[in-house]
Amino acid sequence: MRFLEHGEVEIDNNLVENAIRPTAVGKKNWLFFGSEEAGARNAVVYTLIENCRLHDVEPAAYLKDVLERLPRTTNQHVPS
């Protein structure tokens, strides 16, 4: 009813619902990781993927690049 009182308010919130849908769907799937540690590791991967999307970086290409360079990387290669 708020949109009837204030003309600038959107009638629906489809943009927000679409943005949070992957998280909402994932919540049920995350119940079945097998352990708390597995859930924590998946949270890290999920955060990396979502940050890639946020910055218009292809997640698969980014992860492939990082995982290929990681074995050769030393502390001196990491910017402080």
Side-chain angles (χ1 to χ4, degrees):
M1 298 300 293
R2 185 72 60 192
F3 69 91
L4 295 175
E5 298 168 3
H6 302 282
E8 70 276 1
V9 175
E10 294 288 332
I11 292 176
D12 59 42
N13 64 349
N14 285 341
L15 291 176
V16 173
E17 288 180 8
N18 288 339
I20 66 170
R21 182 170 288 119
T23 302
V25 170
K27 283 190 296 187
K28 289 187 181 181
N29 295 332
W30 298 335
L31 294 173
F32 305 102
F33 277 129
S35 72
E36 187 175 331
E37 295 82 19
R41 287 189 297 269
N42 194 336
V44 170
V45 173
Y46 186 74
T47 300
L48 287 171
I49 290 170
E50 289 305 314
N51 273 292
C52 285
R53 290 179 180 158
L54 180 67
H55 296 286
D56 293 325
V57 173
E58 174 58 38
Y62 173 78
L63 291 174
K64 181 179 183 289
D65 179 56
V66 168
L67 293 174
E68 286 175 348
R69 290 191 296 153
L70 190 60
R72 304 185 304 275
T73 303
T74 65
N75 291 344
Q76 289 76 28
H77 293 116
V78 179
S80 53

